[in-house]
Amino acid sequence: MRNGLMMRTMGQGGRLLMALALAVAGAALSGCGGGGILGGSSDSSSSPSISSRFSELFGSKSQAVGETPPPPAENELSCPPVTIRAGASTFAVGVPGKEAVGNDLRYQASITRTARDCTRNGGQITARIGILGRVIAGPAGAPPTVEVPLRVAVVQGGVQEKTITTKVFRTTVTMNDQGSVPFSLVAEDVVYPVPSGSTGDAYIFYIGFDPQALKPEPAPRAARKKK
C-alpha cells in the first residue's frame, strides 16, 4: 500500500528517472551473469543478431566490464587486455544548451561487455576489438536514432604511456518504444607492429566513448592571394 501511494504521488519526471535507474542497473547486471553473450537471457532473446555475431566472432573470448580476461591457451598468441579509459565509460547527451543530468538528460550510453582476439601476420598484429553496450533514453526523450562514437587505442603502459595507434569508430543505434536498446561494434582493422621482447606484456587496448569525434572538423582556411 505504501509503495502504491509513493508511485501515485510521483510526477512524470520522477517516474522516468526511476525507469532510467532501473534500466541502467539491469544493463550492468546483464554483463555479470551467465548464459548468452550479453549475460542474461532477456538480452539474448531481444537482440539475437547481436549475440549471435559476437558468438561467431569471439566464441567465449569475451568478458563483462571489470572481469579479468581468461589467459591465452597454449601456443596461442597473447592479446592485450581491453580496458575502458578513465572518464570515458559513459556517453550522456542532454537537451541542447543544457547539462546532461536530471530531467535534461536525453539519453546515455554505456559499455557492458568486451572481447578481443589477435592474429600475427609477419611483423604486424591485426586485432579485433568487440564492444557491447546499451543506450537508455532519459527523461527528456531520445531521438529516433543515436550515433555512438567510440575510440580504440593500442597503448604501451608504464610510467609514461605511449600510444601505438588510435582510431575512432561510430555506430548508429535505432531507439525503440522501451527506451533501452543494446548496441555492438567490432573494430576489425586495428593493426600495429609486433612489439619487441617482453614489451608486449605492457600493451593495453584502451576503449571509451569519444564525444569529440562527432564534432565536424573545422573548414580549412582559404589561402591568401598574393598582391
Side-chain angles (χ1 to χ4, degrees), residues 13-92:
R15 290 196 298 272
L16 286 171
L17 285 172
M18 177 174 284
L20 176 63
L22 291 173
V24 171
L29 290 173
S30 71
C32 299
I37 194 72
L38 291 175
S41 60
S42 60
D43 281 344
S44 297
S45 61
S46 63
S47 54
S49 60
I50 290 180
S51 59
S52 297
R53 187 182 183 210
F54 259 65
S55 296
E56 291 173 3
L57 289 176
F58 299 105
S60 60
K61 297 178 182 178
S62 72
Q63 58 276 335
V65 171
E67 187 177 79
T68 303
E74 188 177 355
N75 298 325
E76 182 182 12
L77 178 65
S78 179
C79 209
V82 179
T83 300
I84 300 177
R85 176 73 78 175
S89 60
T90 59
F91 173 49

